[in-house]
Amino acid sequence: MMEQQPTTHTREIAIMKDELHWKKTHCARMDHGGCTLLIGVKDNRIVEVKGDPDGFLNKGYVCPKGLASPDRLTHPSRLRHPLKRIGTRGEGNWERISWEEAIRTISENLLRIRQQEGAKAVAFCQGMPKGLEHFVLIRLANLFGSPNVVAVQDVCHAPREVSGMHTCGFYPVADFHHKSRLVLLWGSNITSTNEEGEICSLLLDQMKAGTELIVVDPRRTDLAKQSDRFLQIRPGTDHGLALAFLNVIVGEGLHDKEFVETWTHGFDELAAHIKDYPPERMAEVTGISADLIRESARHYAGAHPAVIQWGNPIEQNIHAFDTARALVCLMAVCGNLDVPGGNIQANEPNILGLGEFVRADLIPSKRKEMIHAHHRTIPRLMTVPPAYFKNAILEGIPYPVRGAYMQCTNPLIGYADSRGTFDALMKLDFFAISDIVMTPTASLADIVLPAATHLEFNDIGHYGLGHGYILARPKVVDPPNTCWPDMKMLNELGKKIAPGEYWHENYEDFLDALLKPAGLSYSQFVEQGHLKGPDRFQKYLSSGFKTPTGKVELRLSRAEKFQLRPLPEFTGPPEVDDPEYPLILTSAKDRYYLHSSYRWVERLRKRSPEPVIEIHPETAERHGIREGDEVVIETRQGRITQTAHLTDTIRPDIVSAAYGWWLPEGRPEAQYEWEKSNYNILTSTEKLGRAFGTPNLKGLRCRIRKGGEM
Ligand SMILES: Nc1nc2c(c(=O)[nH]1)N[C@H]1C(S)=C(S)[C@@H](COP(=O)(O)OP(=O)(O)OC[C@H]3O[C@@H](n4cnc5c(=O)[nH]c(N)nc54)[C@H](O)[C@@H]3O)O[C@H]1N2
Ligand SMILES: Nc1nc2c(c(=O)[nH]1)N[C@H]1C(S)=C(S)[C@@H](COP(=O)(O)OP(=O)(O)OC[C@H]3O[C@@H](n4cnc5c(=O)[nH]c(N)nc54)[C@H](O)[C@@H]3O)O[C@H]1N2
Ligand code: SF4
Ligand SMILES: [Mo]
């Protein structure tokens, strides 16, 4: 048979289909996102990814995760159908169901629980904010009538944000867009993490131009190697170090006297209080020499503007509030608040406010009713700390929680006390989760929903993060046609479990609603790429600081009312010395993964194939451990194994273990080996920080031994 010749028309289409198109979008869901990317697309397939040289935050930079990000979309283990559990929870048996049945089953169960126990018995859970669905989820919770949105904020930004709001009326973020004379990188490893869009290329450019760098980290990171001063801190003692900085600066009169005089409240009390923290005393606590503390504090005070880029370790132990408070005081007394190149109050562009977007007005009793109100956490913490969520399920404190809807999260690996979390998930009457692959948590759910993800739907980035800009993340390719964006799932579920008038015919209307005050449609916004608030600094000169006294509250004026410490204190490390557990355990994020995500992306797994614990060679030798050995890590809470990597970049009294591990290649009915190397088996929620309900994730007492030995 003769081959049929294509007509002119079909030939044209064939050429069009093969053509390479470049589309501009922003990277997302591999960290907080931010890099402008140029994506080469051929025939609905992504064939190339490049950093955009004109990118607002990255100026051409792209990291290995960004380059590998399209691999998520086409991966064979991608979830493609809504699934319903058959058999017992966690057994790994599923039945494919339609979207219609999935939404109906979820709504029936959540409504049933609401009717039996009240709306607050249903929780809405989200992991790291990834995109606009985060806010649609809060809206759904509000409209359903539940005050309980559970999020990981207790260990991720809330201590920094909320302590900032109480102290100076805003969340002081690092301004890398203007020149700083000095950068104090405090527990922040941004060449690996680029947290909240603080893309490291901006810092590296400043360093090339002569900006001085001081690094506070227990590990000699890449940036520590390039720094002018490296303070190799004992994990969990950051509050002690910050107080010693204040001791030197105020004691030597190096503070910004004019600013302090006019714009701070409680300086004299702070000055008297910090006399208790001389560098010599804090040297013993932090393991950093008194001379180095003194010199570093003098440099920070002497360079103006200077900026503190602070990271997760500040808030990943029970002293989160004291540490964050001490650091904001440090920024303030040196006159670095809200100045270009300092720690600024970012001005949001003219878009729909968060409260309006989530319809906070419809749930006025939220503050009193949310689970953590019972635990008297700090005012303005609006999401439930996971430890309290777990207690509500397991012990009914302050009331029982029986159902949950989860998205973009993997609590079995990400929450402290994984075994307790397992028990809690097992005890839930009903829970549904949406993800892009099956995870240890999803494997315990009643309903699993297949999400369309980044590059497959129109999204807006950085909304609600407080950095003063939003980023366009237009869709680049079609999702598998059975996968829905989370926003669509929530919109459809919303129509069933909350008043219909608050939902849209098409979920994309959320995007337009958000942009409406700016006078932009979503497509106009995409043309523009990003939207930034105006550069305005030192707003306090005209309107004061938004605190009860109108000044930076070095001493909190309402501390007594809220039962908070009025001045930052050092009350010891997060865990006391324990001869049976002589080493200090900490962790850092893996440059090639996001928390527990993407161990199944082969290109990334090749770069970081297994969970690795970093041990100093002397410590390893004492324990008879060699490079590549299996190592058992034990705390009073539990035991896991990881692989030894010997390195002198870490102090001999510290080990740094990998966090976020499960094995996608493991057995589904064993929740993909969630117990084997998962760091949070080692963490506990018995002792929590009062202000935020934060557990100790870093600065734990541990011991190690070679695997296979008793
Ligand atoms: N010990 C210890 N614990 C920690 C931390 C630590 O440093 N140490 N860090 C804490 C911090 S800072 C955070 S933010 C949390 C993070 O906690 P989580 O945000 O829960 O982190 P992940 O484990 O990355 O889980 C995210 C899930 O979202 C899925 N996902 C990705 N894209 C999409 C999407 O578009 N839609 C849907 N529905 N799902 C998607 C991924 O596949 C993954 O399973 O963990 C905290 N826990
Ligand atoms: N590659 C990658 N990027 C990410 C993420 C990820 O999982 N992977 N997660 C994203 C999220 S949600 C967040 S919140 C950010 C977090 O970003 P970062 O704040 O940078 O987070 P970490 O890597 O946990 O910690 C930073 C550094 O603190 C050091 N450190 C450990 N313990 C202590 C301590 O007690 N004191 C001090 N001063 N330093 C200590 C670690 O050695 C590490 O170098 O990153 C985001 N970006
Ligand atoms: S640094 Fe973050 S935003 Fe930039 S490419 Fe990497 S993962 Fe994406
Ligand atoms: Mo985070």
Side-chain angles (χ1 to χ4, degrees), residues 29 127-128 312 409-410 414 434-435 453 486 589 596-597 659 680:
R29 296 165 198 261
M128 179 198 88
N312 255 178
T409 188
N410 188 6
S434 98
D435 205 300
T453 192
D486 288 283
K589 311 281 190 282
S596 79
S597 307
Y659 138 78
N680 277 323

Side-chain angles (χ1 to χ4, degrees), residues 50-228:
K50 294 195 285 203
D52 177 4
D54 299 327
F56 162 53
L57 297 172
N58 60 319
K59 313 268 183 269
Y61 173 85
V62 56
C63 83
K65 280 189 281 113
L67 291 173
S69 62
D71 298 11
R72 288 173 294 177
L73 314 189
T74 49
H75 200 274
S77 56
R78 189 81 192 269
L79 286 166
R80 282 167 196 274
H81 301 276
L83 300 173
K84 182 177 173 179
R85 165 167 75 82
I86 44 178
T88 54
R89 198 184 276 289
E91 209 176 49
N93 292 317
W94 303 96
E95 179 192 350
R96 269 189 200 177
I97 54 170
S98 66
W99 273 106
E100 201 262 321
E101 185 181 346
I103 298 289
R104 181 166 31 84
T105 311
I106 297 170
S107 57
E108 279 171 6
N109 278 285
L110 300 188
L111 290 171
R112 172 181 56 80
I113 295 169
R114 183 169 75 178
Q115 198 182 8
Q116 291 166 348
E117 309 263 354
K120 58 190 182 195
V122 174
F124 293 81
C125 309
Q126 162 85 37
M128 179 198 88
K130 293 178 179 62
L132 208 53
E133 70 285 338
H134 180 56
F135 303 96
V136 183
L137 183 84
I138 301 175
R139 182 184 174 99
L140 179 62
N142 289 347
L143 293 170
F144 179 77
S146 172
N148 293 319
V149 174
V150 182
V152 285
Q153 291 184 308
D154 63 318
V155 292
C156 177
H157 294 95
R160 278 177 268 176
E161 272 179 56
V162 179
S163 304
M165 265 142 40
H166 284 275
T167 308
C168 62
F170 63 90
Y171 167 34
V173 297
D175 175 21
F176 282 165
H177 295 271
H178 295 89
K179 178 130 175 65
S180 312
R181 283 186 54 209
L182 182 146
V183 176
L184 177 48
L185 199 63
W186 200 303
S188 170
N189 187 22
I190 57 170
T191 44
S192 288
T193 55
N194 299 286
E195 68 115 28
E196 284 200 342
E198 300 286 11
I199 306 292
C200 63
S201 47
L202 296 180
L203 169 62
L204 296 171
D205 282 351
Q206 291 220 13
M207 283 161 61
K208 268 189 223 138
T211 294
E212 191 177 335
L213 179 68
I214 301 179
V215 173
V216 181
D217 199 300
R219 302 179 310 130
R220 200 163 65 246
T221 57
D222 288 347
L223 282 168
K225 286 175 196 157
Q226 299 172 52
S227 67
D228 300 279

